[in-house]
Amino acid sequence: MNIKNFAVKNSWIWSFIGSAILCVLIGVVGGQFSMRTIFLNVTLATFTFFLGICEMLVITSGDGAIDMCIPYIATLSAYISANWLVKGKWVLGIFILLAVCVVIGLVNWLINVYLHVHAMIGTLAVGYIIYSIVLVYSKSATVKPSKTLMHFAQKNWGGFSPMTIISIAFLIFMVIVMYHTKFGKRLHAMGQRHHIAELAGVKVSKMMMIVFICSSVIAGFTGVLLGAYVNGSFQTLGNSYQMPAIAAALIGGTLVSGGKSSVLGVYGGAILLTLLTSLINIAGLAAGWQNLVEGIVIILILVAAR
């Protein structure tokens, strides 16, 4: 009974159990077990984890909110970093990057709170606008990031990389923010019901502004790292992370209705999805089967977590 109660209270555990099973399967299918392969997958999971945190913040705020523009923000930020985060322009580049992300967050907030457009629809519309900007901007933009940034992002020690260190540090930071600060408590209270949170003294409008800005800034930071890691920017850079980011949050224990989150669960969910992709590639399954297997595994994990 104690084990059952622990599993119920700590739904994040299922994503890590799933990841452990996938590690074994990768060793069996691949013919050998390699820690280097595991470390590489943990590194690759960094980007899904960061974008999953963006989704976790927005989803936890309640009202069925989901941020649909984060992959477009990541793509735009990768282009901006390639042009501005270079020698002699670092300070100005950081300012421009932050300003762009903050403005996008404010636009999402205004559309959601003052125009009363549901977050999923509003952020999707903003995402299309950002993508249009990317299409125009990319025609004359530099796509290759600075060598310093690429060297940092791609450095590894036996498969263990700075990306992993950054993700773990960010995980610890988010755990403190979400479960040991007033912001976290207010965010979870909002997830129960916005009008009830208002009656309890929570300034919902202000909180939503902070949530959307944080989501945009984290997505922008992710885009910078992703662009450096893959050696450059391209127009669909962040597109493949749209559904994995949402799935990582939900698999990890974040309630889609809001009010409950799990930072550790998002990390586990990101690793699970990355390992699953590796397993499918090693098995040599066709693209159609890949989507089917991923969907089935996600459903099984969610059922187990319940």
Side-chain angles (χ1 to χ4, degrees):
M1 182 62 70
N2 290 334
I3 295 177
K4 181 179 179 181
N5 289 337
F6 177 84
V8 171
K9 293 180 180 179
N10 301 275
S11 54
W12 54 265
I13 193 173
W14 296 105
S15 61
F16 283 93
I17 291 175
S19 297
I21 293 173
L22 288 174
C23 285
V24 174
L25 290 175
I26 287 174
V28 172
V29 175
Q32 62 176 354
F33 183 83
S34 170
M35 286 304 299
R36 181 182 291 273
T37 300
I38 303 303
F39 283 145
L40 175 60
N41 278 274
V42 171
T43 296
L44 293 174
T46 297
F47 311 111
T48 302
F49 169 58
F50 283 143
L51 296 181
I53 289 295
C54 297
E55 296 294 0
M56 184 201 73
L57 286 169
V58 177
I59 293 172
T60 304
S61 70
D63 199 29
I66 295 178
D67 192 341
M68 301 297 290
C69 72
I70 58 171
Y72 305 106
I73 297 173
T75 301
L76 178 60
S77 298
Y79 275 106
I80 293 175
S81 67
N83 283 266
W84 291 97
L85 294 185
V86 294
K87 187 176 181 181
K89 295 183 179 179
W90 278 91
V91 176
L92 180 59
I94 291 173
F95 175 79
I96 291 173
L97 190 63
L98 283 175
V100 169
C101 292
V102 170
V103 168
I104 293 172
L106 288 173
V107 170
N108 284 331
W109 168 64
L110 290 170
I111 292 174
N112 178 242
V113 174
Y114 290 100
L115 297 183
H116 304 291
V117 177
H118 192 276
M120 185 184 296
I121 306 300
T123 55
L124 182 60
V126 172
Y128 287 148
I129 294 172
I130 297 171
Y131 186 58
S132 297
I133 294 172
V134 168
L135 293 178
V136 175
Y137 183 55
S138 61
K139 291 180 179 179
S140 59
T142 302
V143 299
K144 205 79 170 177
S146 70
K147 291 183 178 180
T148 302
L149 201 54
M150 284 195 295
H151 179 73
F152 170 77
Q154 297 170 9
K155 191 176 182 62
N156 72 83
W157 307 277
F160 194 79
S161 75
M163 298 290 100
T164 304
I165 297 173
I166 292 173
S167 63
I168 293 174
F170 186 62
L171 184 152
I172 295 171
F173 171 76
M174 287 305 302
V175 166
I176 294 172
V177 169
M178 293 298 291
Y179 312 116
H180 300 283
T181 66
K182 290 182 179 179
F183 170 82
K185 293 177 181 178
R186 290 169 181 169
L187 182 61
H188 287 95
M190 281 171 54
Q192 304 301 319
R193 285 292 184 274
H194 282 193
H195 66 279
I196 294 176
E198 284 276 10
L199 294 173
V202 177
K203 297 180 179 178
V204 173
S205 176
K206 181 180 178 181
M207 284 294 295
M208 289 305 300
M209 179 182 70
I210 296 173
V211 166
F212 279 121
I213 289 176
C214 287
S215 178
S216 294
V217 170
I218 295 170
F221 177 70
T222 306
V224 173
L225 294 179
L226 183 57
Y229 189 78
V230 301
N231 290 327
S233 311
F234 51 93
Q235 295 174 352
T236 58
L237 177 66
N239 290 14
S240 61
Y241 290 91
Q242 178 73 278
M243 297 314 296
I246 298 173
L250 299 182
I251 288 173
T254 301
L255 283 182
V256 71
S257 57
K260 181 185 177 184
S261 68
S262 176
V263 175
L264 191 58
V266 177
Y267 191 63
I271 293 175
L272 184 148
L273 292 170
T274 306
L275 288 170
L276 179 58
T277 301
S278 293
L279 176 61
I280 291 172
N281 290 332
I282 291 173
L285 294 180
W289 284 102
Q290 290 181 23
N291 294 331
L292 177 62
V293 172
E294 287 180 358
I296 291 174
V297 170
I298 289 172
I299 290 172
L300 290 175
I301 293 293
L302 290 174
V303 170
R306 288 178 64 87

